[in-house]
Amino acid sequence: MDSESTATTCYRHPAVECHVRCTRCERYICPDCMREAPVGHQCPECVKEGARSVRQARTLVGGRISTTPVVTYALFALNVLAYLVELVRPEIVDRFAMVGARLVGADGTRYFGDGVVLSSGPLRVEGVAGGEWERMLTSAFLHQPPFEGTFGILHITMNMVVLWQLGRVVELMLGRVRFVVLYLLSALGGSVLELVLADPGQVSVGASGAVFGVGAAYYVLHRRLGAERGRVNRFMAWLLLWLVVSAWFTSWQGHLGGLLVGGALALAYAYAPRGGRRVAVQAGAGAGLVVLLAVTAAVKVSELTGGSVPL
């Protein structure tokens, strides 16, 4: 028999003669197409098909497994970068800090006070009540100047140390997407509670609200995992003690708002039913918190401006 009639070639490279078959589809494959398998070799297509059929590992709450807390590193870097920008352009703090409402005269003079701030004439409203809604998030990436305020440079130092310690743990437990949502919603929750409960003219900056939210998530997730109760309860007691003590010299409203929102979202993440409904329940909880915070902020702004809500 003619040897050429019995020669076999690779299904991907017809010019290459080969004698090895894929153990899954039995097509001939050349050395370039061979992929190691538990038994023999497989072709690239069968390897891809097998990878799709393998169930991907998930975190406790259904997020994708990752070994590097990229989001925590990115948030840390953003806070530090914003702080360096503040040192060069200090006016950035005044423009993007959390302020509920204050009146500004034509000459730049600011007037502070409670109650309705809507005014006719040369005065204009500045802050969230003046339509500067972005302050509710940008303020979470700003901190006190090095030698001003109660803490100075310790303000960003303490927040970043806690974010570094807790964020890396919580992110790996949640997954990147859920972690960044929790962080930002916690920051927003802190700003909303400041808007509702604090003096409208109070200027506030710092990642504390978001960090308190991460701390609440740390507690909820470890309880969900069945961690040693004494240890996690002591952690939560310390967090609440700091909330109370810090009320004397920091924005306790921002801390409490972040703690409540972060804890609520972490509960939804951790105790959502397994299966196809889990993502829907978790996304619904996040969306519900966004709506609640937005409505609460809009009602307060309407109160401050005498019935109008600037966009």
Side-chain angles (χ1 to χ4, degrees), residues 94 101-112 122-126:
D94 187 68
R102 61 189 177 193
L103 293 177
V104 183
D107 60 353
T109 303
R110 293 188 173 91
Y111 302 88
F112 302 90
L123 298 180
R124 64 181 176 84
V125 181
E126 190 176 71

Side-chain angles (χ1 to χ4, degrees), residues 1-59:
M1 181 179 294
D2 189 349
S3 61
E4 292 184 1
S5 64
T6 59
T8 55
T9 60
C10 175
Y11 81 101
R12 297 179 72 204
H13 304 99
V16 181
E17 182 177 344
C18 54
H19 305 282
V20 176
R21 291 176 182 265
C22 170
T23 56
R24 187 168 180 174
C25 67
E26 297 190 343
R27 290 180 291 192
Y28 285 98
I29 48 178
C30 67
D32 287 341
C33 297
M34 292 179 187
R35 304 292 185 269
E36 290 287 345
V39 178
H41 297 83
Q42 291 184 5
C43 65
E45 280 76 10
C46 287
V47 170
K48 291 179 181 178
E49 182 64 30
R52 282 195 294 267
S53 64
V54 174
R55 186 176 181 180
Q56 298 297 316
R58 294 284 177 175
T59 66

